[in-house]
Amino acid sequence: MNLWKMELIHLFRSWRGWTLVSISILASILAIVTGVFIERVDNFSYSGVLDLYMIYSLIPTLILIGIVVSAFSFDGNKDSSTFLRTRFSMKRILITKILVYFTLSELLWYLGFIITLIVGRILFDASDTLSFKWMMWGILLQAITSLFYVALMLFTSSIFRGSIASVFLTLAVIIGIPIIGGTLSTIELLMRGLIQTSPAEWENVSY
């Protein structure tokens, strides 16, 4: 059997694939509905609803990370590991999984983004136009971020054989490091008496 086809069948014959699709679309719907409620009390632009989509899309991203790390940790399932290793090389298995999940994650994220963009332009204030140049930069940076996540998930899934331990380690790194960094930055600002510094004065602050 073709490894690509097998991976997609395994994904969409279980709850994983359809859950990812549903939650990705739900993030777009939630962003639009939230924008409608905000529009009732204040003027709201379609760029704002895109910001909301970025926030709501974090939940599908975390779920996707858990599913992908579990897929990479196939050695935790003896039957699955034996089946794959006796038919395909390790390099081919990993490359196929990387390409399948990377492509799927990007397609789902951009699908939600496009839905939010189109509906947002119809429902909300469109006078504040987006810069096409900066939107392309944002799309590029989104792809680079996804590549970083892939590298991180490959690393964490190689440490433990079990998928549960690998998922928890990956989430701890992704969520824990920003929390630690933000906490330490806040402590430093408090110690230096800079917590109330206005953004306009930051260029005069020594690091």
Side-chain angles (χ1 to χ4, degrees):
M1 178 181 287
N2 183 283
L3 187 56
W4 292 79
K5 183 178 179 181
M6 186 179 70
E7 191 67 37
L8 289 172
I9 290 174
H10 176 71
L11 182 63
F12 284 99
R13 279 190 176 176
S14 65
W15 59 269
R16 297 175 180 86
W18 297 113
T19 299
L20 282 177
V21 174
S22 302
I23 293 181
S24 298
I25 296 175
L26 181 61
S28 177
I29 295 173
L30 285 175
I32 294 168
V33 171
T34 304
V36 170
F37 283 114
I38 297 174
E39 176 75 13
R40 291 182 177 181
V41 296
D42 193 11
N43 187 39
F44 194 66
S45 68
Y46 76 102
S47 59
V49 82
L50 290 176
D51 291 335
L52 290 174
Y53 172 71
M54 301 296 180
I55 296 172
Y56 287 129
S57 65
L58 291 175
I59 296 175
T61 299
L62 292 177
I63 294 175
L64 176 68
I65 288 171
I67 291 174
V68 175
V69 172
S70 177
F72 285 160
S73 303
F74 58 89
D75 277 340
N77 186 323
K78 185 178 180 181
D79 294 335
S80 175
S81 176
T82 303
F83 177 84
L84 290 173
R85 287 179 178 273
T86 54
R87 289 165 174 80
F88 309 101
S89 66
M90 190 65 176
K91 178 181 178 180
R92 186 179 175 188
I93 294 171
L94 289 178
I95 290 177
T96 301
K97 287 180 178 291
I98 289 170
L99 292 178
V100 166
Y101 286 103
F102 176 78
T103 304
L104 179 65
S105 67
E106 294 305 292
L107 286 175
L108 291 177
W109 192 89
Y110 290 127
L111 173 64
F113 181 86
I114 292 171
I115 292 173
T116 308
L117 176 63
I118 294 174
V119 178
R121 287 187 65 90
I122 296 172
L123 297 179
F124 306 111
D125 179 22
S127 59
D128 182 20
T129 58
L130 292 175
S131 169
F132 180 78
K133 172 185 174 182
W134 289 111
M135 188 170 69
M136 289 297 101
W137 273 109
I139 290 174
L140 175 62
L141 292 175
Q142 164 67 21
I144 293 174
T145 301
S146 298
L147 289 174
F148 166 76
Y149 282 150
V150 167
L152 176 63
M153 289 184 287
L154 283 172
F155 171 73
T156 54
S157 61
S158 67
I159 296 178
F160 299 107
R161 290 179 63 88
S163 59
I164 296 177
S166 298
V167 169
F168 278 117
L169 176 60
T170 306
L171 294 178
V173 172
I174 291 175
I175 299 174
I177 290 179
I179 291 175
I180 294 172
T183 302
L184 293 177
S185 298
T186 303
I187 292 173
E188 180 188 5
L189 293 175
L190 288 171
M191 292 174 63
R192 297 177 64 184
L194 299 173
I195 197 68
Q196 299 296 332
T197 303
S198 63
E201 299 177 11
W202 277 110
E203 60 183 17
N204 300 320
V205 174
S206 171
Y207 291 94

